[in-house]
């Protein structure tokens, strides 16, 4: 039985990745590179290279409407109300018992409009959870009257570009006067005329790292272009974890969160001070 027969999709970069010697695994509902023939180790110096990794298994959802901020503030531990346009905040989605349903990054596009990137190890469960709460009613009717949620995961490829030379790599594609976003900010840029949303995720990886959200067709062009640079290495997701976990405690939290409780001190930085989100009561009660 093929991956297609099982309802598993292939990355838009599958053909290019296969040529480069990728070994694939199923991450959620998509087949992605786990390793490449040229293996890396915890001794690999990420500061001396730029690396590219296909992270298209991440879930991408949009939230819009006048109640989008209130909804995300209720459903996640991220400091949503403090965000300005172009800023990002990391957080957790919890159930009432404080168990972590997903780790998320909330990005504010503009007033009443947000992106949410999530690790998506329980994508279907997360969407059911969010959409069920979006339709809840109280004495005044719907709790969130003006809220629109859209899953756009299948519409884009997500490339992780990082390492000490990532700025040098991406700068080669920027138009004059353009600049990469600062830590935990994002912006829309043209990379050699390719429209790209660029998210700075240095806070997660402990060093320079960017998530690029780009259309499937243009992702292939960009990926092949990146591979033409001699200092660029391609990493599978598990390759990257082996290397990055030695240099950043945050990256390990992404992989371990699905088995954790928000009471775990490792996730303190993911939880805002004001405890008015679902699951907050459990943080005080759990021993």
């Amino acid at each position: 039985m093929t991956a297609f027969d099982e309802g598993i999709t292939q990355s838009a970069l599958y053909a290019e990745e296969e040529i480069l010697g990728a070994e694939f695994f199923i991450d959620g509902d998509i087949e992605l590179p786990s390793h490449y023939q040229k293996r890396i180790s915890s001794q690999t110096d990420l500061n001396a290279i730029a690396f590219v990794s296909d992270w298209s298994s991440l879930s991408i959802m949009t939230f819009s409407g006048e109640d989008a901020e209130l909804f995300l503030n209720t459903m996640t531990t991220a400091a949503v109300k403090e965000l300005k346009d172009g800023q990002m905040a990391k957080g957790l989605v919890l159930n009432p018992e404080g168990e972590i349903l997903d780790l998320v990054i909330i990005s504010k596009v503009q007033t009443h409009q947000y992106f949410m990137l999530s690790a998506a190890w329980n994508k279907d469960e997360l969407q059911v959870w969010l959409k069920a709460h979006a339709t809840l009613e109280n004495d005044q009717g719907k709790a969130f009257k003006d809220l629109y949620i859209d899953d756009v995961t299948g519409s884009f490829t997500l490339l992780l570009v990082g390492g000490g030379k990532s700025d040098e790599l991406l700068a080669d594609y920027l138009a004059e006067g353009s600049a990469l976003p600062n830590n935990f900010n994002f912006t829309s840029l043209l990379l050699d005329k390719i429209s790209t949303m660029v998210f700075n995720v240095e806070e997660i990886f402990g060093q320079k790292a960017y998530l690029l959200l780009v259309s499937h067709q243009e992702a292939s062009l960009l990926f092949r272009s990146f591979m033409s640079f001699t200092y660029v290495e391609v990493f599978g997701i598990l390759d990257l974890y082996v290397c990055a976990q030695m240099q950043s405690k945050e990256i390990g939290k992404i992989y371990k969160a699905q088995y954790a409780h928000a009471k775990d001190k490792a996730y303190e930085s993911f939880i805002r001070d004001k405890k008015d989100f679902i699951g907050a009561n459990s943080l005080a009660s759990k021993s």
Side-chain angles (χ1 to χ4, degrees), residues 157-176:
T157 293
L158 272 168
L159 286 174
L160 180 70
V161 177
K165 291 193 173 183
S166 56
D167 280 2
E168 178 182 341
L169 173 65
L170 295 175
D172 200 66
Y173 293 83
L174 292 176
E176 186 176 352

Side-chain angles (χ1 to χ4, degrees), residues 90-280:
K90 62 186 179 183
L92 308 169
V93 178
L94 308 178
N95 63 19
E97 290 72 41
E99 296 167 336
I100 299 174
L101 299 180
D102 219 327
L103 184 152
V104 299
I105 296 175
I106 308 294
S107 306
K108 184 175 183 180
V109 180
Q110 59 186 12
T111 303
H112 308 321
Q113 188 175 355
Y114 298 83
F115 271 110
M116 186 172 81
L117 303 176
S118 72
W121 50 72
N122 292 315
K123 178 181 175 182
D124 292 341
E125 180 181 345
L126 177 66
Q127 290 199 13
V128 169
W129 178 255
L130 293 174
K131 291 180 178 180
H133 284 79
T135 57
L136 288 179
E137 297 190 3
N138 54 30
D139 294 340
Q140 288 75 44
K142 287 187 65 176
F144 306 102
K145 296 180 175 62
D146 187 29
L147 174 66
Y148 304 91
I149 302 175
D150 192 16
D151 177 19
V152 296
T153 305
S155 303
F156 301 95
T157 293
L158 272 168
L159 286 174
L160 180 70
V161 177
K165 291 193 173 183
S166 56
D167 280 2
E168 178 182 341
L169 173 65
L170 295 175
D172 200 66
Y173 293 83
L174 292 176
E176 186 176 352
S178 297
L180 295 169
N182 296 324
N183 187 29
F184 246 49
N185 283 256
F186 73 100
T187 190
S188 180
L189 293 172
L190 289 177
L191 298 182
D192 198 18
K193 300 182 179 180
I194 295 176
S195 180
T196 309
M197 290 291 293
V198 181
F199 302 82
N200 186 319
V201 290
E202 181 178 344
E203 184 172 329
I204 295 292
F205 285 87
Q207 63 167 264
K208 290 291 184 182
Y210 302 91
L211 274 172
L212 311 184
L213 189 153
V214 61
S215 72
H216 294 318
Q217 181 178 2
E218 292 180 321
S220 183
L221 297 173
L222 198 57
F223 182 79
R224 290 199 298 267
S225 180
F226 286 159
M227 292 300 102
S228 68
F229 289 81
T230 57
Y231 59 82
V232 172
E233 299 281 356
V234 60
F235 288 175
I237 290 180
L238 300 185
D239 282 328
L240 181 61
Y241 176 56
V242 168
C243 192
Q245 69 174 331
M246 303 298 293
Q247 304 184 44
S248 169
K249 294 180 180 179
E250 294 293 293
I251 187 69
K253 296 174 186 177
I254 296 176
Y255 290 83
K256 297 175 183 177
Q258 60 182 310
Y259 308 110
H261 191 283
K263 190 76 171 180
D264 187 329
K265 291 186 180 297
Y267 298 96
E268 286 181 339
S269 64
F270 289 76
I271 301 173
R272 65 175 182 267
D273 292 335
K274 190 173 183 181
K275 306 297 192 294
D276 55 351
F277 46 81
I278 290 176

Side-chain angles (χ1 to χ4, degrees), residues 44-75:
T44 301
D45 184 5
L46 294 184
N47 291 314
I49 62 171
F51 64 79
V52 179
S53 185
D54 187 349
W55 274 44
S56 297
S57 61
L58 295 184
S59 174
I60 313 167
M61 300 180 73
T62 63
F63 299 79
S64 58
E66 292 186 3
D67 290 324
E69 179 185 280
L70 175 61
F71 179 75
L72 290 170
N73 194 71
T74 302
M75 300 303 299

